[in-house]
Amino acid sequence: MATFGLWRLFSAAFAGILFFHGAFSSSEKAPNYSFMHNATSAPPTSYYDYIIVGGGTAGCPLAATLSQNYNVLLLERGGSPYGNPNITNLAAFGAALSDLSPTSPSQRFISEDGVINARARVLGGGSCLNAGFYTRASPYYVREVGWEGRLVNESYEWVEKVVAFEPTMRQWQSAVRDGLLEAGVAPYNGFTYDHLYGTKVGGTIFDGDGHRHTAADLLQYANPSGLTLLLHASVQRILFRIRGRSRPMAHGVVFTDATGAKHRAYLKKGSNKEIIVSAGALGSPQLLMLSGVGPAEQLKAHNITVVLEQPMVGQGMADNSMNAIYVPSPAPVEVSLIEVVGITEFGSYIEAASGSNFAGGSSRDFGMFSPKIGQLSTVPPKERTPEAIAKAVELMDSLNQTAFMGGFLLEKIIGPVSTGHLELRTLNVNDNPSVTFNYFKDPIDLQRCVQGISTIERVIESKAFSKFRYDNLSLPDLLNMTENSPVNLLPKHQNASRSLEQFCKDTVMTIWHYHGGCQLGRVVDHDYKVLGVDALRVIDGSTFNYSPGTNPQATVMMLGRYMGLRILRETLLAGDHDHDSN
């Protein structure tokens, strides 16, 4: 009877949590959050039930959920996305990525493979920078990870009420959709968030007016009295209690504000208080290492005191390679981001985008094709010079502007199978670590790219796509145009249009879906607790062994909500009554 009574009490309490978040009780609307402050206003020392490092795609929904029952501190190293048109407006896509200023929401990094990439530095994380596609992971992925299916679905729905929309399909995206079906990527599954083989229209985080909705908007679910959000708060390291303990225990963090002043935040006393790292696939393993949790040899090389030797921190880094074919159009095209996807049986996802924000813009900024943004750039490390970039820009300037009316079709490989690693460069948490993704190291990944590009060729040659294609430009012409565009500084191969393997290698780029570094089963357990450490979890895309579905942002947001509910359930069952949300 006692057990039955406990479960009944738990069920009632848990239902109350779900109801609260569904009804927006006591909530506030973005961007007018009373709990959002600049870190300069923080006291030198403070105490909380939960401290979350990183207000990104996972951190925002996680903080919103935990704030219902607990006193939560959310620390974000960047600023607010609200009021920045480069983030908010669909037509400005690419502008935030090309902003290299210290206050940019995007922090560029270049992998050791030579691919220029970007990591978010803003409340809302990557959902403020990406192309907006919203789609769920497959049921198979959910089962493989070991998540609870029902709670996963409820968590997706919670996210979708705020940030997901059905796109308005216009001519170019419709042609891509119909071309995919002609190319054999069937059946047609219509509009759906679900991951289904064939061609579908997916969701988008851009509403009907072209305004972006991000993970930061999920903070409207938060209990305002239970959450403190600090912007421009850069966490330097996690603090551990070691003396007299069999295992290290996280109990606080040190963070600096925009002036460089140091602050300390500690966990309140209590068995269930935790620090949760949600700093992303680069930030989370980097912070663990800087705090003394990681490969001992590497930590010692940087004179970091080893708190716990964990050789798998920073391992399993992966990025889903993206390759594209640019298609100039004789007919005007709409500005569109990713709206349609072809999910193939062989492990490649076909997507498309169009308009001036990808193919052109001002005379010195060419959107996705810009050497300054570098989303189509693979730059050898020894050739990453300002002079080389300037020459590439000059070459772009000399091209006829009519060449930039059109769009491109891209393929992203599933997985991937190829993985690499991350290492510290410096002791400065604001510096990018060194990361190697090893694109196409495994031949399976290269074969998937080749099949994906072959499928794109069939779409381009389809009847449905004919009005957006010049008759006098053959497929080899289009491949060579993409291959020879001055968008990267790799050596050119004249046979790239005849060898799709070479084309894939020469034009590899990122679609910003990098993950790994704190992988499930290697660095964290199935409750996302760091192995060998108490009171510390990692909850974000760094825990993924494979990227979920076609685009991961929906699943990263879901994971924040899902694990927030799991933690609330754990603490209810443990009978934790010593919390204070005031």
Side-chain angles (χ1 to χ4, degrees):
M1 282 299 292
T3 302
F4 174 76
L6 178 63
W7 271 105
R8 188 169 64 177
L9 178 66
F10 157 70
S11 299
F14 201 51
I17 293 165
L18 290 169
F19 173 78
F20 169 84
H21 288 291
F24 293 91
S25 174
S26 305
S27 64
E28 298 175 347
K29 296 294 183 183
N32 301 309
Y33 296 139
S34 64
F35 47 78
M36 185 166 68
H37 310 282
N38 196 300
T40 52
S41 67
T45 305
S46 53
Y47 297 85
Y48 296 88
D49 295 321
Y50 288 93
I51 299 170
I52 300 173
V53 181
T57 316
C60 285
L62 176 63
T65 302
L66 291 178
S67 71
Q68 172 56 17
N69 277 31
Y70 293 96
N71 189 257
V72 178
L73 174 64
L74 178 60
L75 298 167
E76 167 53 45
R77 71 188 184 121
S80 168
Y82 300 112
N84 185 340
N86 290 345
I87 292 173
T88 306
N89 298 333
L90 185 151
F93 177 78
L97 291 164
S98 63
D99 179 2
L100 300 184
S101 71
T103 58
S104 170
S106 169
Q107 181 178 358
R108 175 176 292 177
F109 73 94
I110 304 174
S111 73
E112 296 305 303
D113 317 275
V115 174
I116 296 177
N117 211 318
R119 56 190 294 213
R121 183 169 50 194
V122 62
L123 183 69
S127 66
C128 296
L129 304 175
N130 63 27
F133 199 56
Y134 183 98
T135 180
R136 298 182 178 190
S138 68
Y140 173 80
Y141 187 97
V142 171
R143 289 194 299 271
E144 283 293 293
V145 177
W147 293 329
E148 301 171 34
R150 182 176 176 182
L151 195 58
V152 164
N153 288 336
E154 289 173 351
S155 299
Y156 275 127
E157 290 166 3
W158 180 90
V159 170
E160 287 154 11
K161 286 177 183 176
V162 174
V163 304
F165 305 88
E166 179 177 356
T168 301
M169 292 284 291
R170 293 168 65 188
Q171 288 188 335
W172 202 81
Q173 288 284 340
S174 296
V176 172
R177 174 198 62 202
D178 296 344
L180 280 165
L181 293 171
E182 276 189 58
V185 186
Y188 178 55
N189 293 308
F191 166 68
T192 179
Y193 297 140
D194 292 337
H195 186 90
L196 303 168
Y197 286 116
T199 295
K200 74 165 190 173
V201 177
T204 176
I205 62 174
F206 289 95
D207 63 25
D209 294 325
H211 295 148
R212 182 191 295 268
H213 295 257
T214 75
D217 293 3
L218 297 172
L219 292 171
Q220 65 186 278
Y221 280 122
N223 173 6
S225 65
L227 179 61
T228 300
L229 162 60
L230 297 180
L231 300 175
H232 304 292
S234 182
V235 175
Q236 305 298 305
R237 68 184 187 278
I238 301 163
L239 302 172
F240 294 95
R241 283 200 180 104
I242 302 172
R243 191 173 300 170
R245 296 188 56 85
S246 60
R247 291 158 52 102
M249 179 175 143
H251 73 112
V253 298
V254 177
F255 65 94
T256 55
D257 61 30
T259 70
K262 285 189 176 181
H263 306 257
R264 290 176 180 251
Y266 294 102
L267 296 177
K268 293 179 181 178
K269 292 182 179 178
S271 58
N272 296 311
K273 316 310 182 195
E274 291 180 322
I275 292 167
I276 304 174
V277 181
S278 299
L282 267 64
S284 290
Q286 179 188 29
L287 182 60
L288 289 186
M289 289 185 195
L290 290 173
S291 304
V293 178
E297 187 176 333
Q298 188 183 154
L299 301 186
K300 290 173 183 175
H302 288 274
N303 293 319
I304 298 170
T305 301
V306 178
V307 172
L308 177 74
E309 180 170 11
Q310 225 300 5
M312 303 314 295
V313 173
Q315 298 300 307
M317 297 298 300
D319 188 22
N320 299 83
S321 58
M322 180 172 83
N323 293 80
I325 300 177
Y326 181 69
V327 185
S329 171
V333 298
E334 70 263 21
V335 173
S336 71
L337 302 183
I338 312 302
E339 296 177 2
V340 173
V341 62
I343 300 176
T344 69
E345 298 274 0
F346 57 79
S348 176
Y349 305 128
I350 315 298
E351 302 173 348
S354 62
S356 60
N357 56 346
F358 281 95
S362 68
S363 62
R364 296 189 65 79
D365 190 352
F366 296 85
M368 285 288 278
F369 270 71
S370 169
K372 294 178 288 179
I373 295 177
Q375 304 315 322
L376 279 178
S377 296
T378 51
V379 184
K382 293 180 181 178
E383 299 181 34
R384 297 174 197 152
T385 65
E387 293 76 17
I389 295 292
K391 182 165 180 58
V393 173
E394 182 183 346
L395 287 168
M396 290 292 275
D397 278 347
S398 69
L399 297 179
N400 192 316
Q401 289 295 298
T402 59
F404 297 104
M405 185 166 71
F408 67 90
L409 285 83
L410 63 92
E411 71 81 36
K412 164 198 164 179
I413 62 167
I414 195 173
V417 180
S418 306
T419 62
H421 60 279
L422 176 148
E423 296 179 356
L424 294 177
R425 287 189 199 274
T426 72
L427 295 177
N428 187 342
V429 72
N430 297 314
D431 292 343
N432 290 316
S434 164
V435 60
T436 304
F437 293 121
N438 289 325
Y439 298 103
F440 302 129
K441 182 179 181 181
D442 192 295
I444 293 174
D445 290 336
L446 186 59
Q447 185 55 37
R448 285 169 170 164
C449 176
V450 168
Q451 289 180 273
I453 294 295
S454 298
T455 304
I456 289 174
E457 290 180 332
R458 294 199 300 275
V459 174
I460 292 171
E461 292 190 310
S462 69
K463 181 179 178 181
F465 203 74
S466 59
K467 71 173 286 188
F468 295 111
R469 166 137 183 241
Y470 285 100
D471 293 335
N472 62 338
L473 285 178
S474 66
L475 278 173
D477 290 336
L478 294 176
L479 286 169
N480 283 328
M481 183 188 304
T482 303
E483 165 81 16
N484 293 317
S485 296
V487 294
N488 68 47
L489 305 176
L490 282 173
K492 303 301 177 184
H493 294 84
Q494 295 303 314
N495 68 338
S497 64
R498 296 189 295 275
S499 167
L500 291 185
E501 286 86 356
Q502 192 64 57
F503 179 84
C504 285
K505 291 177 181 178
D506 285 1
T507 64
V508 64
M509 54 192 138
T510 185
I511 195 168
W512 312 292
H513 296 170
Y514 52 91
H515 52 279
C518 297
Q519 288 180 312
L520 194 68
R522 302 175 86 185
V523 175
V524 298
D525 66 17
H526 282 269
D527 292 317
Y528 294 84
K529 295 178 178 179
V530 176
L531 297 168
V533 180
D534 290 331
L536 182 64
R537 300 194 205 218
V538 177
I539 299 175
D540 60 20
S542 72
T543 64
F544 292 162
N545 295 320
Y546 298 97
S547 186
T550 58
N551 298 63
Q553 74 165 340
T555 302
V556 178
M557 285 189 272
M558 180 281 295
L559 179 62
R561 169 62 171 171
Y562 172 89
M563 282 308 301
L565 290 174
R566 284 277 307 274
I567 292 168
L568 290 180
R569 187 170 69 187
E570 284 176 24
T571 55
L572 279 169
L573 288 172
D576 180 23
H577 300 298
D578 62 354
H579 60 265
D580 176 15
S581 60
N582 296 306

